[in-house]
Amino acid sequence: MPKITLRNAEKSYGGTAIKAVRDLNLEIGDGEFMCLLGPSGCGKTTTLRMISGLEHLSGGQISVGDKVVDCVASGSFISPEKRGMGLVFQSYALWPHMTIERNTDFGLRLRKVPKAERQARVDKVMKTLGIEKYRDRYPSQLSGGQQQRVALARMLAVNPDVLLLDEPLSNLDARLRLEMRAELKRIHEEFKTTIVFVTHDQWEAMTLATSIAVMSEGELQQVGTPNEIYEQPANRFVAEFVGSPPINIVEMGEGKAEPLSGLVKSYLSKAFPQIDAIGSVGLRPEALGFVQDAAEVPQGAMEGGAQVTGVLPTGGSWIIELRAHDTKLFLTTHKPPVVAEGDQGFFFVRPEAIHVFDSHGKRNVSADIQLRGDAETTAKTAKARLSA
């Protein structure tokens, strides 16, 4: 399947100036598992429907390889059934009066695929998804997770070039969601199908995708691998949306500064002279540490006094709530904490784990480079001391 390209794609409804999707430029490569991630109303489902052909563009162009499938300027449009794409909706949309086998081969019958080939395809996909023993049952006799597998089997049986999934796991309970995530990952590896997956669940995106496109209010915020999205968020929105517990934000801007900002400014000013260009700083909970002896703070780390105000077990990990300079901070740990509410000590964070944003919320790349450089220098110095 050639890559799917959206160029300046836009969508508005009813001729209003409010656009559901604005000036979207995005490329989805052959065999890629792309997740469109964002909160409700950000335009991700609209984007999926434009790719499928269920929505006409209000502006821009969508092409598949060298073939333009929708272009406002030229007036060209290829209907959904001719795009070689399969769409799985949030609701399973199974035929209640048909058996699971008939639901699975429905698309093949419409395409008039010969019986022997149809049977072979259905057998293979039902076995792959573990639903072959339900072939003579009806949808009402299956659980939600089993029905979801049938909906996927129906699409996979016709072997679409692209599989479009619109929040297909949102109706499942936590255990089934986990099982279906693993199933989708395996399907992608086995069938090599290009998948575009819409979700508001960051963990689904992080665990499934080869690349993630984060959207907000109809605009694309960042495209990257799960690690890039998490470790190098392009702006504050991405940093705050991806991560659980959410990233700690220390406001630095004039009129918004928090009590902790003075300590942060003092630390950053040594590495980053343009301190006035910083609007806020982000500290991931898992990047924070807490010790009760100042001598245990790693060399070169930013540190400050803090008091434990809460210890929250989550099952397998713990969230520790701190108050530092009248600012609330959260840190996470997988080790049973040896502190209790009311304990005094020191929080710390290594320089390379500090996310710096300007007054508009955009990531400050030059500060990143400087902080990482200082971290490398500190590490080399510590290694030299150990060698000596």
Side-chain angles (χ1 to χ4, degrees), residues 229-247:
I229 295 292
Y230 190 77
E231 295 173 5
Q232 298 175 12
N235 53 45
R236 263 189 66 169
F237 173 82
V238 176
E240 292 181 279
F241 188 77
V242 178
S244 181
I247 193 170

Side-chain angles (χ1 to χ4, degrees), residues 52 64 67 69 77-85 111 161:
S52 70
V64 179
K67 183 193 296 184
V69 297
F77 179 79
I78 295 177
S79 58
E81 69 274 11
K82 295 179 181 178
R83 296 193 184 189
M85 301 178 181
R111 289 166 173 76
D161 294 322

Side-chain angles (χ1 to χ4, degrees), residues 65-185:
D66 296 329
K67 183 193 296 184
V68 175
V69 297
D70 195 353
C71 180
V72 174
S74 65
S76 58
F77 179 79
I78 295 177
S79 58
E81 69 274 11
K82 295 179 181 178
R83 296 193 184 189
M85 301 178 181
L87 179 59
V88 177
F89 296 95
Q90 184 174 347
S91 60
Y92 312 131
L94 301 177
W95 295 107
H97 64 289
M98 291 184 183
T99 64
I100 299 312
E101 182 174 6
R102 287 301 301 271
N103 265 285
T104 303
D105 74 3
F106 182 76
L108 297 174
R109 288 177 180 272
L110 287 180
R111 289 166 173 76
K112 302 189 186 311
V113 174
K115 184 177 180 180
E117 182 183 348
R118 185 175 72 232
Q119 193 64 55
R121 283 206 213 172
V122 168
D123 288 345
K124 180 182 178 181
V125 75
M126 290 182 77
K127 184 177 181 180
T128 299
L129 291 173
I131 56 173
E132 70 272 31
K133 60 184 176 183
Y134 308 125
R135 64 193 317 140
D136 296 324
R137 296 188 189 181
Y138 291 88
S140 61
Q141 297 173 309
L142 301 186
S143 68
Q146 291 163 347
Q147 290 185 50
Q148 183 61 75
R149 284 181 168 89
V150 176
L152 284 170
R154 182 175 57 192
M155 283 295 104
L156 291 170
V158 299
N159 194 25
D161 294 322
V162 178
L163 187 58
L164 307 175
L165 307 175
D166 186 8
E167 300 202 51
L169 310 184
S170 59
N171 293 330
L172 306 182
D173 61 39
R175 183 179 180 82
L176 280 175
R177 284 167 74 96
L178 183 61
E179 290 178 0
M180 285 305 301
R181 286 176 198 169
E183 196 73 58
L184 283 172
K185 193 86 169 179

Side-chain angles (χ1 to χ4, degrees), residues 240-259:
E240 292 181 279
F241 188 77
V242 178
S244 181
I247 193 170
N248 298 290
I249 295 291
V250 180
E251 297 287 356
M252 307 282 286
E254 194 172 331
K256 297 181 181 178
E258 297 178 12

